Structures are given as structure tokens and as C-alpha cells.
């Protein structure tokens, strides 16, 4: 609670108030940067453009030497005050004593892991997600970090892409709301405060649209789709004052982001007025050779710096090639200065020139134990994790469970404290994580009534296991049981038979939803489906707890199970949060931020698709239509979907008018009633559709949402205001316009089941209007 008050403050600050901060040059800052740049040699300037971590090509000692020799501007993957101090001490031994900054992948918490991005987004709870980011900033800065490589805001509509796990899902509007809140919470009221960290949003741009969901792949997309559906979250980060932007690995209409002048100079810098620092992704400058847009690393360095990539992450192209490029005149010193200025400006904004040890502090303040339990924020993590859980099925009120029951906890993920932390779990410790088994045991409080069997491994495929367990990883990320699959299954069935209810914890190892982890199938890996069938055959009530980082195609398992709870990877306190929901101490309220397809062949299944010439109609299912004839129509679970232990009824939708005049507002209202027996929260969602525009418009587009808590029997009017601004989109000429004509407005508790009304946006040039209620044929008439 103490934190929530502070968070609310940041959320409440106006975009302009914050946007003016990072990167913006005051007179004092400009003088300081001019003066410093004037003293720097070319080699020192080039040093500032390098951001590196300890790795195979660079030992710790070499890195310290490079820092002392002014050959590095930033260091990442060093977390912990004493280690950061060693590097900053080295920087203070350099000729100009320019501090280095420290960065880390803090994507969903730092020492305390919060749910992964998809989980956070499932809360549809902006203040809670803000709080998680503020805590991440507190914990990261307390470890000496100045910058975090987050938020990850890539729109992902292809669940095969393993990195869909990290972002906010498929919708630009929802993603933008989280993005702006997280940027503000990470950066705090002033970046120069010790508890603020600079956000480096990523991956600019369109990483999530990689063809076939295959990581690092290419993107080919119309500009209007780009501006409409994929770019808004990055722009939201800029509007919220993000200090840095990391570029993506992909090519965009043929041109890699890392050499894309249009993307960086025209869109980011010129159109959006971004004043901060641009970073390449890991090795991405050198990768320009692989992309086939540079013959050599020298050409690659030239293309990147000219395109506007200020810092190069973990390759040697800038270090080795820029000196010769400047000498030959291929790159001007002004181009180098432009990039250096952005790096120094970030350090200035972070307060590092005033105090290079601002976040590192004095040795006397170092924690005696780096993973001291008191450094965690458990209650906040549990609260956010509960909100991230999505109830997908609950037949015959199978949930909540009784604490007096005996429970068989089965599955390869049931006891995992590694997987529950999720990918990119920074330095959160598995030893401090609560598994689902732990959480259920805490809730029941009687070890005799919590039975366990592993049941199956996450995969039996040696190639998959080798992929997941990086060579030399100790302990390995994925454990393999030495018993035969048959023995494991037999034991699980025996254990299940002894219990009142079975909770099967199934899904993916966290490494399956990670960088470079694209899947060609969306079914449960390994023998988990067989395990579920065998458990069902015991006749015991069967609850599936899904742990995964992408939508899965689990139609069969859905049909078999009595209840299905999507838990994503829910973080340090995940097990307790899951138990809170399983036993009814918390009424689930999560809603999916991404559509679940029935099969991989159905992809893409995003909800905001176009209507097509022959949309599927339930009334004429056999007619030729835009569907797969060998698959049921529509997704398994739609965007925005999630059940509760109580029942919410939504009234018909009423509009304050059927006409919207430019400059005026229209109110869309429903009455939501909790007609069940438990208090609960739900998310009321507002969608619109342009019915007759100059280009075909999506069947639904999210334009607003409100999370409400209702007591049993309570009802509330939920109203949304719509203005011409909400109806704007990018037309074929890339103009952002609201076109006069008929619109549909829809409100519901998910994107499928909505109440609908229509209105007309008036043409200001017309003076007489007829509202034609015939959809599709509706026109403005004079
Ligand atoms: C590569 C990843 O794409 C990016 O998200 C991450 O921030 C960097 N590596 C640094 O770890």
C-alpha cells in the first residue's frame, strides 16, 4: 500500500510533464555536453558508443581495463553494488572520468519476479502493473543499475513466437496503456533520483510481427497497418518520456531496423520527437552483414551510425571500424558527436555526472547478503500475480476447492521453482520462489492431504531437451526423471486415485517461451496430454493449471478438464497466488490479452481482423466463407476472455445519441450486475467498428476498458465517452482521420460476447443527415 500511493502519483503526472525530461536539453545541460565533447578524443568518443557485457570474447578483467581506458560507455549484466562499484572505480580512473552506466534485462521484476508480460497484461490493471514496475525500479536501482531494457512492447499476434511471452499481447490500445504507465513508473518523477532507472523500451520496431513467428525473421507490412496496429506502443513509450529505445533484429520491408534511417530518423526522431538514446540489440550491428545489407563489418558500422543507432550492443564493429570510417570521411565526426551526445545526455539525465555512484552508494551500505529475503516484495508480487490469473473454464463450479480436501498435485511443472519465474526473470532466485505444490501445501496446511506425482517430463525429445538445457548449465533448466514414462504415469494415476481432486500443473518449460524459442506446434509438449487423459480416467475432478508463455491449442484438454486456470509464469509468489485462486481466497479477474487459437493452422486469430467479403455466419455454416472447413470457426478462447467465481450480467447498451458531431462526445453505457454470490472484479471492454470507411476497418477495436469490483447483488452503470478522436485511424494515405459515417459500438466482458449499438459520425460539411440503420449500406445523405 505504501508503494501504491507513490505509483498513483507517477501515473497521474501528465505526459507532457514527463516527456520534457529525458533527452531534452536545458541550457545548462547543453553547455555541459558541449564542454565535455570538446575535451574528448575520437577514441574516447567511440568508446562511449559501446555497451558490453562480460562474455566469451570479453573477460571481466578485459572489461575493467576497457572501462579505465575510456573504451566502453555502458556495461550490462552486472548487477550488485560491489561489482558495479569496481567498474565505476575503473571509469573514475579514466582520463576524463566519464561514468559508465549499468543496464540489465529487468522485464517483469528484478529480485522479486512478477508475472511475465502476458501475465501482467492479463490483469488489465494499470495501477498494479505500474506498481510492479516501480518495485522493479527500486530493486534494480538498489543493485546499482541505472537502465533497464524494458518495457518490451512488441505487439505479438503469432503465438509460435516465443517472445510473445514478454510483451503485452496482441492489441495496440491495451499495450499502449501498460507501456506508458510502466515507463513512468520505472523512471519515477525525475530520472536523476537514486530510485529511478532509465527505461529502454524495445524492440523498435515490429519484432513481434516476424514472419511465421520465427524469431529474428523478416516483416513485410503495409505502412497503414504498421501505424495503426504495431507502432502505437512504441510511440506511447516516447510520449511517456522513455529515455532509451532498443532497436529490433528484424528487417522491415527489407531494411533491417538497425540500418533503417526512415525508422529511426523519420519516425522516431522527427515524427515522434524522441530525444533520447538509441541502442542496437545484441550484436545487431554486425548482423547487418548476415542480413545482406553490408559486405563487411565496416559497412555495417557505417550503415548503423548513419541510420541513427547511437550505441552498439556487444559487438566490436563500432570499436574496430569507426576510427577508419571517420579517417576516410565515410562517417563524419559530427555523426559520431551526435551519437556520443545522446549517450552523455542519458548519463546526464541519470544524474551520473553529479554522482557516478548515485545508485551504487557507499560500500558501508551494501547488503550483507545480496539475495537477502528482506530485499523482496512478496506481498505486492502475490497481489499482482493473483490478478494475472485467467480462469478459462469452470464446469459445475469445480473451483474453488475446499481446503479440507485431499489434493493430488501432478505434472512436470508442479514443483518447479525455476519455470514459475518465467523467462528473463532477471536475477530472481528460484530458491526464493514458491512453486504450485508449495502454494497448495501452504493453503492446505496438512502435508498428508497434499499428494504429489511428476507424471511426465516436459519433453522426451532429446533434441528439445538439449535445446532447453544450454551446454554446461548447472543445474540444468529442465530436469529429466530417470524413471520410464510408463512408471511415472502409473504413479500419477495411483496418486490421483487416492485424492479427492487432481490439480495437474502442465504447460511449457520457461525456455520454450524465450528468445530463439519459436514453436511449430502449440500443443502441450511431451506426454502431458496422455497424462491428462490418464488422470481424467480416474474419475476424479480434474483441474488444469497451465503454465506457459504463449497461447496453447488445448481444445482436447479443455474438453476433458473440469476447470482450466491460465497462470502464465507468475513469478516469485506464483504458487501462493495460484493457491489463492484455487481455494477461493481470491476471485479470479484476469482477461486474456491475446487470442488462443484452436490449432496452429488457424493462426492468425487476432480479434481485430477485417470482416472479409464472406464472413462466416453461424446461421449458414456450410456456405463458402473465410474459415477453415476442417476446424471449428473462431478461436478457442477470445481476446478479453476470462471467467470469475461469480456471475456478471451486462444490460443492453445505451447511447446518449445516435449522432456524434465533431467536437462533441457520445456516451455509451451499460449496467453491470453481480448476480452471483461472491464479490468479484471484472473488466468492462469497449470496442468500436467503422462500418463504411474508405478502407475496410476491423470488426472490433478496443477503445476503452474499466475494471470494476462489485459486491453480490450490486450493480453499476459503466459509461465510456467516445469522441471523434477515438474514431481516427490511418487511411491509405497515412493520414490519421475520422471518416464521417456509421459506426458500431460494442461493450462486453470479452471481445466475443458484446452488446451493440450504432451511431453516425457527422460530416461537418453536411447540414442534413439521415441515419440509415441498414449496416453496410449506411451512408450520410444530404
Ligand atoms: C537480446 C534481446 O533481444 C534483448 O531483448 C535483450 O535486451 C538483449 N539481448 C540484452 O540481453
Amino acid at each position: 500500500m505504501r508503494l501504491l500511493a507513490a505509483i498513483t502519483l507517477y501515473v497521474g503526472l501528465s505526459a507532457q510533464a514527463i516527456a520534457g525530461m529525458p533527452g531534452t536539453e536545458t541550457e545548462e545541460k547543453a553547455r555541459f555536453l558541449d564542454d565535455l565533447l570538446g575535451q574528448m578524443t575520437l577514441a574516447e568518443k567511440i568508446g562511449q558508443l559501446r555497451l558490453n557485457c562480460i562474455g566469451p570474447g570479453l573477460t571481466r578483467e578485459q572489461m575493467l581495463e576497457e572501462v579505465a581506458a575510456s573504451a566502453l560507455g555502458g556495461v550490462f549484466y552486472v548487477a550488485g553494488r560491489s561489482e558495479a562499484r569496481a567498474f565505476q572505480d575503473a571509469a573514475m580512473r579514466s582520463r576524463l572520468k566519464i561514468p559508465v552506466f549499468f543496464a540489465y534485462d529487468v522485464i517483469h521484476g528484478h529480485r522479486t519476479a512478477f508475472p511475465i508480460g502476458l501475465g501482467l497484461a492479463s490483469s488489465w490493471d494499470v495501477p498494479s502493473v505500474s506498481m510492479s514496475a516501480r518495485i522493479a525500479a527500486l530493486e534494480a536501482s538498489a543493485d546499482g543499475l541505472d537502465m533497464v531494457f524494458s518495457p518490451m512492447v512488441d505487439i505479438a499476434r503469432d503465438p509460435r513466437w516465443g517472445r510473445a511471452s514478454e510483451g503485452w499481447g496482441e492489441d495496440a490500445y491495451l499495450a499502449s496503456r501498460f507501456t506508458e504507465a510502466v515507463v513512468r513508473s520505472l523512471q519515477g518523477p525525475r530520472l536523476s533520483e537514486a530510485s529511478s532507472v532509465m527505461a529502454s523500451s524495445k524492440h523498435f520496431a515490429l519484432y513481434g510481427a516476424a514472419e511465421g513467428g520465427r524469431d529474428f525473421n523478416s516483416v513485410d507490412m503495409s505502412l497503414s497497418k504498421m501505424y495503426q496496429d504495431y507502432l502505437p506502443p512504441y510511440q506511447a513509450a516516447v510520449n511517456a518520456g522513455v529515455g532509451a529505445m532498443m532497436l529490433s533484429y528484424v528487417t522491415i520491408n527489407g531494411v533491417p531496423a538497425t540500418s533503417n534511417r526512415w525508422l529511426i530518423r523519420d519516425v522516431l526522431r522527427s515524427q515522434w520527437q524522441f530525444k533520447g538514446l538509441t541502442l542496437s540489440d545484441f550484436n545487431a550491428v554486425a548482423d547487418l552483414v548476415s542480413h545482406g545489407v553490408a559486405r563487411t563489418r565496416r559497412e555495417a558500422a557505417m550503415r548503423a551510425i548513419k541510420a541513427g543507432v547511437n550505441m552498439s550492443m556487444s559487438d566490436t564493429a563500432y570499436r574496430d571500424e569507426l576510427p577508419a570510417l571517420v579517417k576516410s570521411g565515410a562517417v563524419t565526426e559530427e555523426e559520431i558527436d551526435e551519437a556520443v551526445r545522446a549517450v552523455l545526455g542519458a548519463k546526464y539525465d541519470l544524474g551520473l555526472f553529479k554522482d557516478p555512484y548515485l545508485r551504487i552508494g557507499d560500500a558501508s551500505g551494501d547488503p550483507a547478503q545480496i539475495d537477502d529475503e528482506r530485499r523482496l516484495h512478496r506481498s505486492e508480487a502475490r497481489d499482482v500475480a493473483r490478478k494475472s490469473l485467467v480462469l478459462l473454464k469452470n464446469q459445475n463450479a469445480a473451483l474453488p476447492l475446499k481446503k479440507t480436501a485431499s489434493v493430488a498435485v501432478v505434472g512436470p511443472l508442479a514443483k518447479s521453482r525455476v519455470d514459475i519465474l518465467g523467462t528473463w526473470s532477471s536475477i530472481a532466485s528460484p530458491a526464493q520462489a514458491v512453486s504450485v505444490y508449495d502454494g497448495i501445501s501452504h493453503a492446505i496446511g496438512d502435508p498428508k492431504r497434499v499428494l504429489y506425482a511428476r507424471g511426465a517430463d516436459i519433453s522426451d525429445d532429446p533434441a528439445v531437451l538439449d535445446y532447453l538445457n544450454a551446454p554446461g548449465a548447472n543445474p540444468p533448466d529442465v530436469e529429466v526423471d530417470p524413471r520410464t514414462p510408463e512408471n511415472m504415469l502409473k504413479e500419477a494415476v495411483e496418486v490421483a486415485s487416492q485424492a479427492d481432486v487432481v490439480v495437474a500443473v502442465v504447460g511449457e518449460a520457461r525456455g520454450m517461451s524465450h528468445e530463439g524459442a519459436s514453436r511449430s506446434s502449440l500443443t502441450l509438449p511431451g506426454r502431458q496430454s496422455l497424462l491428462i487423459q490418464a488422470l481424467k480416467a480416474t474419475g476424479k475432478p480434474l483441474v488444469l493449471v497451465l503454465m506457459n508463455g504463449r497461447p496453447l491449442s488445448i481444445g482436447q484438454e479443455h474438453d476433458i478438464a473440469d476447470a482450466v486456470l491460465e497462470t502464465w509464469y507468475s513469478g516469485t509468489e506464483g504458487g501462493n497466488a495460484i493457491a489463492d485462486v484455487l481455494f477461493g481466497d481470491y476471485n479470479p479477474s484476469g482477461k486474456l490479452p491475446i487470442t488462443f487459437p484452436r490449432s496452429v493452422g488457424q493462426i492468425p486469430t487476432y480479434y481485430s481482423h477485417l470482416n472479409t467479403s464472406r464472413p462466416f455466419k453461424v446461421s449458414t455454416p456450410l456456405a463458402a466463407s473465410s474459415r477453415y472447413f476442417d476446424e471449428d470457426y473462431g478461436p478457442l478462447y477470445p481476446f478479453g476472455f476470462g471467467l470469475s467465481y461469480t456471475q456478471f450480467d451486462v444490460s443492453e447498451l445505451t447511447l446518449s445519441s445516435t449522432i456524434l458531431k465533431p467536437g462533441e462526445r457520445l456516451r455509451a453505457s451499460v449496467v453491470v450486475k453481480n448476480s452471483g454470490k461472491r464479490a468479484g472484479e471484472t473488466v468492462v471492454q469497449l470496442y468500436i467498428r467503422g462500418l463504411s470507411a474508405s478502407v475496410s476497418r476491423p470488426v472490433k477495436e478496443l477503445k476503452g476498458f474499466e475494471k470494476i469490483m462489485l459486491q453480490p447483488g450490486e450493480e453499476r452503470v459503466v459509461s465510456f465517452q467516445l469522441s471523434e478522436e477515438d474514431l481516427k485511424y490511418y487511411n491509405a494515405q497515412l493520414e490519421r482521420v475520422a471518416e464521417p459515417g456509421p459506426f458500431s459500438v460494442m461493450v462486453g466482458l470479452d471481445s466475443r460476447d458484446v452488446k451493440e449499438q450504432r451511431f453516425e459520425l457527422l460530416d461537418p460539411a453536411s447540414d442534413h443527415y439521415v441515419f440509415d440503420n441498414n449496416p453496410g449500406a449506411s451512408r450520410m445523405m444530404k
Side-chain angles (χ1 to χ4, degrees), residues 76-77 105 149 163 202-203 207 246 249 281-282 313 424 515:
F76 69 105
Y77 287 175
D105 283 293
F149 297 144
R163 303 197 73 173
K202 63 191 187 185
H203 305 81
Y207 192 14
M246 189 191 294
Y249 281 126
D281 202 338
F282 200 106
M313 189 197 289
W424 299 108
E515 184 173 351

Side-chain angles (χ1 to χ4, degrees), residues 763-780:
D763 182 345
S766 301
D767 53 9
H768 174 67
Y769 306 94
V770 175
F771 181 64
D772 176 349
N773 222 349
N774 178 4
S778 191
R779 286 280 178 285
M780 305 303 301

Side-chain angles (χ1 to χ4, degrees), residues 556-603:
Q556 262 186 11
E557 293 79 4
H558 169 96
D559 291 346
I560 287 179
D562 295 286
V564 182
L565 183 68
E566 175 57 75
T567 71
W568 310 111
Y569 300 109
S570 46
T572 303
E573 276 291 310
N576 284 332
I578 291 166
D580 286 340
V581 166
L582 291 179
F583 293 99
D585 293 327
Y586 180 80
N587 188 356
S589 57
K591 302 276 187 180
L592 295 177
I594 187 165
T595 308
F596 275 50
R598 292 177 191 276
S599 64
V600 80
Q602 244 190 352
I603 298 170

